[in-house]
Amino acid sequence: MSQPVDCGPLAHSTIPYSTTPQTPKPPHAPQYSSPINAEPLHRYTTGGYHPITLGSLLHQGRYKILHKLGWGGYSTVWAARDEQEGKYVAIKICVAEDHSNRGHREMNVLKSLDDAQHIVRLLDHFDIQGPNGIHPCLVLEMLGPSVSDLVEGRFAVGRLPGSLARGVARQAMMGLDALHRREIAHGDFHIRNLAFTIPSVANIPEDEFINLLGKPDIGYVRCNDGGRLGPGIPEYIVRPANIHSRSRPLSNTIKIVDFGESFPQNDAPEMLHTPLVVRAPEVIIKDRLDYRVDLWSLGCMLFELFVGQPPFDSFLITPKILVEQMQEITNEALPDRWVPLLESMRGKDVTEDGGPGLQEWLEEMYFDGERKEDLSRDDIVELGRIIRKLLRFEPGARASVEEILDEPWFRA
């Protein structure tokens, strides 16, 4: 997302194949409804999602849709059987408005990373024509749970054991280093986009595979005014497979997934949809972006991986308050060029009382007196030292992934 964990892929917020930026809200009362709470029905429109039914055959009959794995702001993701190769795959069906941009950009990035370790593999790609437009489709290797889903489903204390967290961190950094060596930024790097591999399920019968994911739960869509469904509306919505209900062994290998925000160094976007609490300050301030946004996110990821929550508060957070939290925790002043940009941002200031610094906060969260501790205070001091090398305001001051990988602490 070998230790035994669940093999079923995850629901919306943790599905390891799909982006999760906020979806536009409908402008008025919903026209359609379903008893299944999943992707928003108003997005089944021209330029939006492609309506799918279980058993559908895609790409000239090669891929048979068996279950839903998840959904995001720009795609739905499905478990399918590759009838030609006799194996199970994940198919990410992008929204049609994306036809010339996001889906194809993700496809091109994954093609260039085909030989990289710890990166999800792109197996095939094609477009499909539907009532809502032309949709890019990415065929990806079938993976298991994300790290966050594993924590939620298997560790009541809310965080991974230290040794497992160290192994996950090392592999994640190996994948990120492979990206950066190719001058590619991931753009959405956090523990929800790290997924465990699973043992091959290629040879098991179709009904057994579906049983592993759980029988699909469907809810028929109805028009709220009693009318007929429009041509681009699905007959029913499928609840994403629930990882928590099944237990399967998986390897302790992880891969980086979801490249919907990725970009090459020479084609940086103006904005990224990384979750706010792990978003690099230059994204919030709207400065120029490059691959070093991942280094800030890596610092946040390391904190969350070992502690069980990100370093910054996510409750009722605004961009301005978040930047002020960043100043407190890093004990750094903003670069001069950012000061007027921060002052122009909307939102209240934080309280006058200063919060804890990074090391104090890290130790307070890890040694909380309630959860088992399997790392020493020296370990946490060393971890704090490493994270400080990444949580630097100036992108050029951040340590590279290669430098962090070389830290002896990660080889212990």
Side-chain angles (χ1 to χ4, degrees):
M1 222 302 193
S2 159
Q3 305 293 322
V5 293
D6 218 293
C7 95
L10 335 189
H12 165 234
S13 64
T14 49
I15 176 66
Y17 303 96
S18 182
T19 54
T20 57
Q22 283 70 36
T23 306
K25 295 287 189 291
H28 44 67
Q31 183 178 1
Y32 301 104
S33 60
S34 167
I36 297 294
N37 183 23
E39 69 270 22
L41 291 169
H42 74 272
R43 289 284 279 158
Y44 282 100
T45 185
T46 301
Y49 297 131
H50 177 64
I52 281 283
T53 54
L54 298 173
S56 296
L57 295 171
L58 305 182
H59 201 37
Q60 299 168 332
R62 178 170 177 177
Y63 301 107
K64 182 180 179 181
I65 299 295
L66 302 177
H67 209 314
K68 182 192 280 178
L69 298 180
W71 59 274
Y74 297 98
S75 64
T76 57
V77 188
W78 302 83
R81 181 170 175 83
D82 180 345
E83 302 287 11
Q84 181 175 308
E85 297 287 335
K87 63 185 179 183
Y88 298 98
V89 297
I91 299 183
K92 184 173 185 174
I93 305 177
C94 301
V95 294
E97 67 193 20
D98 186 42
H99 182 255
S100 62
N101 190 7
R102 182 184 295 263
H104 287 161
R105 186 179 68 215
E106 182 173 3
M107 176 188 72
N108 290 332
V109 165
L110 286 173
K111 276 183 175 179
S112 72
L113 295 165
D114 187 53
D115 60 342
Q117 277 191 314
H118 303 296
I119 303 286
V120 64
R121 286 188 62 220
L122 177 70
L123 305 174
D124 193 8
H125 59 88
F126 56 92
D127 291 344
I128 54 175
Q129 174 80 55
N132 293 329
I134 300 173
H135 305 260
C137 298
L138 309 181
V139 181
L140 304 163
E141 65 178 309
M142 179 68 68
L143 294 175
S146 73
V147 169
S148 59
D149 204 73
L150 176 68
V151 170
E152 182 181 340
R154 290 301 183 91
F155 296 99
V157 296
R159 64 188 183 205
L160 295 177
S163 59
L164 180 54
R166 218 184 298 225
V168 166
R170 187 164 49 241
Q171 293 178 67
M173 289 189 290
M174 289 170 67
L176 194 60
D177 186 47
L179 274 177
H180 289 183
R181 287 176 185 273
R182 291 166 171 81
E183 298 188 332
I184 296 171
H186 184 271
D188 196 17
F189 190 75
H190 49 86
I191 66 170
R192 295 187 185 279
N193 284 335
L194 303 175
F196 286 89
T197 61
I198 55 176
S200 173
V201 291
N203 298 320
I204 69 173
E206 189 176 294
D207 58 349
E208 188 177 334
F209 174 76
I210 293 173
N211 187 54
L212 288 174
L213 300 182
K215 182 182 176 182
D217 182 12
I218 66 172
Y220 286 92
V221 177
R222 67 180 185 89
C223 189
N224 292 336
D225 63 7
R228 301 178 63 179
L229 299 181
I233 304 297
E235 179 186 352
Y236 53 79
I237 293 295
V238 182
R239 191 187 307 279
N242 186 354
I243 188 167
H244 305 307
S245 64
R246 297 292 183 273
S247 179
R248 284 276 293 177
L250 93 151
S251 72
N252 52 13
T253 301
I254 64 106
K255 295 196 174 192
I256 302 174
V257 300
D258 191 354
F259 286 76
E261 296 286 319
S262 60
F263 60 91
Q265 182 68 6
N266 60 2
D267 189 22
E270 292 185 2
M271 181 59 185
L272 292 169
H273 298 93
T274 321
L276 186 59
V277 291
V278 297
R279 193 175 295 178
E282 61 267 34
V283 182
I284 299 169
I285 295 290
K286 298 183 180 177
D287 198 359
R288 183 178 177 277
L289 307 183
D290 62 26
Y291 73 95
R292 292 172 293 195
V293 296
D294 292 339
L295 300 175
W296 179 278
S297 295
L298 172 59
C300 296
M301 186 274 281
L302 291 175
F303 190 105
E304 183 171 7
L305 199 56
F306 288 90
V307 166
Q309 70 178 60
F312 306 110
D313 191 5
S314 60
F315 183 67
L316 298 178
I317 196 72
T318 67
K320 185 173 185 181
I321 290 175
L322 177 57
V323 173
E324 291 169 336
Q325 278 188 24
M326 291 173 173
Q327 290 176 272
E328 287 181 351
I329 284 184
T330 62
N331 197 28
E332 278 196 347
L334 283 184
D336 290 344
R337 67 185 182 281
W338 289 0
V339 173
L341 295 170
L342 177 65
E343 291 173 350
S344 69
M345 292 171 72
R346 300 173 68 179
K348 295 181 179 179
D349 294 341
V350 293
T351 58
E352 293 181 6
D353 297 332
L358 173 63
Q359 189 62 48
E360 181 186 352
W361 184 231
L362 182 62
E363 292 184 24
E364 183 179 324
M365 293 306 300
Y366 188 78
F367 300 106
D368 59 10
E370 298 177 2
R371 297 181 289 183
K372 181 181 178 182
E373 303 152 3
D374 59 354
L375 295 174
S376 68
R377 194 163 294 275
D378 286 346
D379 281 324
I380 297 303
V381 167
E382 189 67 7
L383 177 62
R385 182 188 66 80
I386 290 168
I387 293 173
R388 275 199 304 273
K389 296 172 75 170
L390 294 160
L391 296 186
R392 302 292 306 275
F393 280 129
E394 281 291 359
R398 296 169 195 160
S400 69
V401 185
E402 183 180 15
E403 288 176 72
I404 302 299
L405 263 173
D406 282 341
E407 289 282 349
W409 193 78
F410 283 109
R411 297 197 296 272

